[in-house]
Amino acid sequence: MEEQNSAPRVITFSGPKEGVGKTSVVMNLALAWANYQKRHVLILPLDPMCRAEHAQLLGLNPPSMAEIISALGRESLGALGALLKGKIPISQWGVGVLPLSKRRSDVARMSPDIILPLLSRLSQNFDIFIDVDPYFPMQVFAFDISDLVFWVSNSNVSSLNATAGIFREINELHFPLSKFEVVANLFDMPGAEGPKEVEKFYKQIGKDILAFMPWEDALPAYANQNKILITEQPNTQWVRMLRVLLGRLAELKPAEKQWVSNVTTAEFSHGSDMLWRQTEKDAPEAMSAPQSREQSQAGSPRVDVPPFWEELKMRVHRNVVTALETERVKISDDAAINQETRKRVDGIINSLLQKETATPLTREQRVKFINELLDEILGLGPLEELMRDPSVTEIMVNAFDKVYIEKAGKLILTKYKFRSNEQIMQVMKRIVAPLGRRIDESVPLVDARLKDGSRVNGIIPPLAVSGPTLTIRRFSAKPFTDAELVKKGSVSQPGVDFLKACVKLRKDIIIAGGTGTGKTTFLNMLSSYIPEDERIVTIEDTAELRLQQDHWVSLESRPPNIEGKGEVSIRDLVKNCLRMRPDRIIVGEVRSSEALDMLQAMNTGHEGSLATIHANTPRDALTRMEAMCLMAGADLPVWALREMIASAVHMIVQLTRFSDGTRKITAITEITGREENQITIHDIFKYHQTGMDENGKVIGYFTATGDPPKFYKDFETHGMHVPIEMFWTEEQRKARA
């Protein structure tokens, strides 16, 4: 006989239910393999019921895995070899047993992170045969670490029905079917389906039957005497068929073990919970699952991909697209329909991979492969994982191989890449198509909005010289509260209290800041102070605001079509909203001539309006507003414009992003009037930066300037208690103490 591969084998024996003769197959094959391979075999029963039949049949009294762990301690796995030496008894035939536990109460304390180091060490001295009953998470754990699975089942209808259900789960978990071999045990027992019917059944789920094992009267008789058939009657028909399984083991080329599993401790210890589904973790919509995809991936090991990965992906991608066209399956923007499409595409990819026998993938690789391909076909390709990360606030695709993100205010180059510029173009078209827009050489730039509210900007050649460029600005599904912003150090509590009072007092407020300073975030927070009984109209280029009030109308501008027609500007919407009986007008960003219309609205009974503007200082904000008003074509002298601004706008809130990525309110400034043709302002609250700490974090403090706003008495007039002390400086507080 040829010299066999010396690498350790991990073989799992499982089935659809108890009582199918699986233990007999395990015991007899273990003895035959130990004799054939001249290597000890360790049987590992993953049995939550803690039955001891394997040890009894072999006449052994082994320690349990739980006892070994208890003696060893979780912190002493380095001493494992010495502890195990001579502790696991071996039968005369070269087979040992290591039960999970001898007490059911100990099973709950067992977990994959404890078991896997043990198995890794044991595999140096044993081939491991796992006998696992149909407790699905335990089955999945065993399948994850096995080189081969013998699926042992009898041929009655209930067993076949249970097999169909479990194999659906196996398929959805992306296990390769080549990992499973079917053993039709006890096929000729009374009441069983005939061999042809059984063969037909397994062909429907994509499997051939490796061996038909007959009913053998001696099996139960010997079991009752703690005897094993292969040692007592080696020439029976049943044992002859067992040699087919032995041949399959001999030809197996075991892969290098990674000793990892995605089954969690809770899932393992509650092995009878049949509701656990790995697919729920993998689906991007399953945020309500016990463990989200992001969490699952964060805790799982990195999956190495083979060199043929991209070639295989392109080939399967083409075949999937062809299949979708043949079946006339359309990718919809509707979430429910798209989820059904996702399941259908998942099935197509699985089916195609089953045929790729020349390029086998491990289960982990299959999961990664299918998810990446689903993201490419139905989503945003390599950006999907970034879109699922709530800590990512901006995604910037500078080139197909350069994808940056903003996280915690810092720019980071990621590992994610597109295959080509063409793939970026496909993603852009997928984004804009549901919105009735296009992006091509005739329309080389586009602004759009994803269904989750994220703002998208795309620009392509010839305008983008280096290739298509994509920017996605993401927003939190749940707006920040003032308490959260205070905790983050973005604003002081007195500043928040003052602004809250100003909003309720219906003061007109402009939020100024540069790109990425958090203007929209802060505008959302300020809008939350507007009373519920007021009608709010928001006007934006791309709808980003997330107001909490019910009485809210959101308006969004529209760019011109490819013929240059159909444009609805921000200015048009500001004019129109005046006919909608608004109590408050909120303009997401004032960028052009709409500034004049907004100021007129503020001056004509729509006090309490809010808007944002790009500017680096409060004074710059005023200058920009003047310039934008002049863009409206109004023939007004500068002094008239300044008078209009001074009477319409009460407050400017200045935001700044610092070098450490933090965003803070650096000034809350009151517009006090006009003197000598200049708009006069004064700061009520300021932020002072004092330095940087050893970690590069900005150090500073918020302080009042000592002067309350000129409209301070208006608070009392409207029955609002705003303590004068909040406007005092530290020196003033000490002087009055």
Side-chain angles (χ1 to χ4, degrees):
M1 202 169 285
E2 296 180 8
E3 184 179 350
Q4 302 301 311
N5 192 330
S6 61
R9 288 165 168 81
V10 179
I11 312 298
T12 285
F13 299 79
S14 193
K17 57 191 293 186
E18 298 176 10
V20 296
K22 170 171 54 67
T23 297
S24 295
V25 175
V26 174
M27 294 296 303
N28 285 277
L29 191 60
L31 266 63
W33 182 250
N35 182 65
Y36 172 76
Q37 186 74 355
K38 306 301 181 186
R39 179 176 166 89
H40 288 164
V41 175
L42 182 65
I43 298 174
L44 177 63
L46 289 184
D47 182 7
M49 304 299 292
C50 302
R51 290 161 293 207
E53 52 202 301
H54 304 81
Q56 291 169 1
L57 287 168
L58 293 171
L60 302 174
N61 184 27
S64 70
M65 193 177 296
E67 288 171 339
I68 290 175
I69 295 296
S70 178
L72 188 62
R74 292 177 65 105
E75 307 301 325
S76 310
L77 288 176
L80 185 60
L83 181 75
L84 292 177
K85 192 173 182 180
K87 297 294 185 182
I88 299 179
I90 307 297
S91 72
Q92 60 182 309
W93 302 288
V95 178
V97 180
L98 185 62
L100 190 64
S101 178
K102 295 179 180 179
R103 296 183 301 177
R104 291 180 64 181
S105 59
D106 289 335
V107 175
R109 294 196 290 270
M110 305 302 293
S111 63
D113 66 319
I114 294 176
I115 296 172
L116 290 172
L118 266 174
L119 296 185
S120 176
R121 176 60 183 82
L122 288 165
S123 68
Q124 298 174 23
N125 303 101
F126 296 93
D127 282 345
I128 297 173
F129 284 17
I130 300 175
D131 186 351
V132 59
D133 286 331
Y135 299 100
F136 198 58
M138 285 190 177
Q139 283 180 314
V140 173
F141 170 76
F143 299 165
D144 274 337
I145 62 177
S146 296
D147 301 297
L148 183 68
V149 177
F150 285 115
W151 185 259
V152 183
S153 174
N154 60 21
S155 302
N156 62 42
V157 174
S158 63
S159 293
L160 296 179
N161 287 339
T163 292
I166 294 176
F167 266 76
R168 280 195 298 270
E169 302 277 1
I170 288 169
N171 192 53
E172 290 178 357
L173 292 173
H174 308 306
F175 283 107
L177 286 181
S178 58
K179 192 175 205 174
F180 296 79
E181 294 289 359
V182 177
V183 179
N185 197 31
L186 315 176
F187 75 94
D188 56 351
M189 67 182 296
E193 295 289 307
K196 290 185 178 178
E197 286 77 11
V198 177
E199 279 188 309
K200 181 180 179 182
F201 166 81
Y202 278 103
K203 281 190 179 296
Q204 288 175 342
I205 62 176
K207 290 304 300 179
D208 293 320
I209 296 174
L210 177 66
F212 280 97
M213 311 285 289
W215 171 261
E216 177 57 63
D217 291 329
L219 276 171
Y222 283 134
N224 290 333
Q225 303 172 46
N226 289 342
K227 295 180 179 179
I228 299 168
L229 187 65
I230 197 170
T231 63
E232 303 293 330
Q233 295 188 17
N235 296 318
T236 63
Q237 176 65 19
W238 193 89
V239 173
R240 284 197 291 271
M241 291 305 300
L242 192 74
R243 294 193 178 100
V244 175
L245 278 59
L246 193 66
R248 178 68 179 91
L249 273 183
E251 69 182 24
L252 177 68
K253 294 182 172 63
E256 183 180 348
K257 299 292 183 295
Q258 294 186 347
W259 300 108
V260 295
S261 173
N262 290 324
V263 177
T264 68
T265 297
E267 293 159 350
F268 186 88
S269 61
H270 295 86
S272 59
D273 182 5
M274 300 291 289
L275 297 178
W276 178 82
R277 302 282 295 272
Q278 179 69 32
T279 47
E280 291 179 345
K281 297 179 183 179
D282 293 335
E285 293 80 8
M287 297 304 293
S288 60
Q291 187 181 21
S292 70
R293 180 174 177 179
E294 296 81 21
Q295 294 169 315
S296 174
Q297 290 173 340
S300 62
R302 181 177 63 88
V303 179
D304 294 319
V305 300
F308 56 78
W309 184 266
E310 290 300 329
E311 180 187 345
L312 177 63
K313 190 187 290 185
M314 291 177 67
R315 184 167 66 251
V316 174
H317 190 293
R318 285 196 300 269
N319 291 335
V320 171
V321 172
T322 302
L324 291 175
E325 290 174 350
T326 303
E327 299 181 22
R328 298 183 178 181
V329 176
K330 292 185 178 181
I331 298 171
S332 170
D333 195 43
D334 183 88
I337 298 174
N338 202 37
Q339 182 66 7
E340 288 300 313
T341 305
R342 188 177 184 91
K343 290 179 181 177
R344 178 66 190 121
V345 176
D346 189 307
I348 294 172
I349 299 172
N350 251 323
S351 176
L352 292 169
L353 284 180
Q354 299 291 358
K355 300 173 184 176
E356 291 285 343
T357 56
T359 52
L361 300 175
T362 66
R363 181 209 167 196
E364 290 78 13
Q365 289 171 341
R366 287 169 68 89
V367 171
K368 179 179 176 64
F369 184 93
I370 291 172
N371 283 328
E372 286 187 4
L373 208 50
L374 283 170
D375 289 342
E376 288 184 16
I377 297 171
L378 303 176
L380 304 183
L383 304 184
E384 279 291 332
E385 283 193 37
L386 296 173
M387 292 295 292
R388 286 188 283 265
D389 185 347
S391 65
V392 174
T393 53
E394 195 140 12
I395 301 170
M396 293 150 281
V397 181
N398 292 356
F400 72 90
D401 58 349
K402 288 185 175 65
V403 178
Y404 287 82
I405 61 171
E406 183 189 69
K407 191 180 270 191
K410 292 288 211 181
L411 295 182
I412 304 168
L413 177 63
T414 72
K415 64 179 180 180
Y416 300 96
K417 297 179 180 179
F418 289 85
R419 283 196 307 274
S420 62
N421 286 333
E422 287 71 26
Q423 191 184 5
I424 302 176
M425 287 295 300
Q426 289 172 3
V427 168
M428 287 183 177
K429 290 176 180 178
R430 190 172 298 126
I431 290 171
V432 302
L435 305 175
R437 302 186 190 176
R438 58 185 289 186
I439 184 165
D440 51 33
E441 287 190 4
S442 61
V443 187
L445 60 87
V446 68
D447 283 307
R449 173 170 46 87
L450 299 178
K451 294 201 77 173
D452 67 353
S454 300
R455 186 174 67 199
V456 180
N457 176 268
I459 184 165
I460 65 172
L463 301 186
V465 178
S466 59
T469 300
L470 183 65
T471 308
I472 302 176
R473 171 73 62 83
R474 304 190 62 221
F475 301 95
S476 174
K478 179 179 177 293
F480 281 105
T481 63
D482 51 17
E484 290 172 323
L485 292 177
V486 171
K487 187 177 180 181
K488 288 166 63 76
S490 298
V491 63
S492 65
Q493 189 62 55
V496 165
D497 294 338
F498 172 64
L499 289 173
K500 184 186 295 185
C502 288
V503 172
K504 293 180 178 179
L505 196 59
R506 301 183 65 87
K507 296 298 179 183
D508 296 308
I509 301 173
I510 301 294
I511 301 168
T515 302
T517 54
K519 296 187 299 296
T520 302
T521 298
F522 199 75
L523 182 57
N524 262 318
M525 189 203 77
L526 282 188
S527 68
S528 68
Y529 305 142
I530 299 174
E532 289 283 346
D533 60 351
E534 296 188 22
R535 178 174 171 85
I536 308 168
V537 179
T538 60
I539 301 169
E540 301 172 85
D541 263 339
T542 304
E544 301 167 356
L545 294 171
R546 297 286 186 273
L547 271 64
Q548 306 303 303
Q549 294 86 342
D550 288 333
H551 205 170
W552 164 42
V553 178
S554 176
L555 305 180
E556 186 177 52
S557 67
R558 186 177 70 186
N561 58 23
I562 56 174
E563 288 85 22
K565 300 178 181 178
E567 179 184 13
V568 180
S569 68
I570 293 286
R571 187 174 190 188
D572 295 331
L573 294 176
V574 171
K575 289 178 179 178
N576 184 79
C577 87
L578 298 176
R579 304 184 185 100
M580 298 173 65
R581 200 254 176 222
D583 291 306
R584 309 266 188 156
I585 301 171
I586 299 177
V587 181
E589 185 177 341
V590 181
R591 290 191 288 195
S592 188
S593 57
E594 65 273 5
L596 181 63
D597 300 284
M598 187 193 69
L599 290 174
Q600 288 175 334
M602 290 176 174
N603 273 317
T604 55
H606 297 91
E607 294 87 357
S609 296
L610 306 171
T612 74
I613 190 171
H614 276 272
N616 293 325
T617 67
R619 179 63 66 183
D620 287 348
L622 296 173
T623 304
R624 282 214 67 204
M625 290 182 69
E626 286 181 31
M628 289 186 291
C629 287
L630 291 171
M631 292 168 67
D635 190 16
L636 292 173
V638 171
W639 69 265
L641 279 178
R642 291 174 180 174
E643 184 68 38
M644 182 182 293
I645 294 170
S647 60
V649 181
H650 301 108
M651 305 291 300
I652 296 175
V653 180
Q654 183 67 47
L655 304 182
T656 303
R657 183 173 65 175
F658 290 85
S659 58
D660 62 351
T662 59
R663 300 169 173 90
K664 302 180 189 295
I665 292 178
T666 50
I668 299 176
T669 303
E670 180 188 13
I671 296 177
T672 56
R674 188 174 67 89
E675 292 180 4
E676 299 181 358
N677 205 30
Q678 290 291 325
I679 298 174
T680 56
I681 61 176
H682 93 274
D683 297 327
I684 296 175
F685 293 93
K686 289 269 296 180
Y687 177 79
H688 297 276
Q689 181 182 348
T690 57
M692 308 280 287
D693 66 12
E694 61 273 10
N695 299 317
K697 292 289 185 181
V698 168
I699 302 173
Y701 62 93
F702 297 95
T703 181
T705 60
D707 294 320
K710 291 191 179 298
F711 55 80
Y712 176 74
K713 290 186 178 179
D714 292 349
F715 293 125
E716 288 185 19
T717 304
H718 288 78
M720 302 168 62
H721 177 66
V722 177
I724 191 69
E725 293 85 0
M726 77 161 51
F727 306 107
W728 291 352
T729 63
E730 257 329 290
E731 290 77 13
Q732 288 173 321
R733 292 179 187 278
K734 290 177 182 177
R736 290 169 170 81

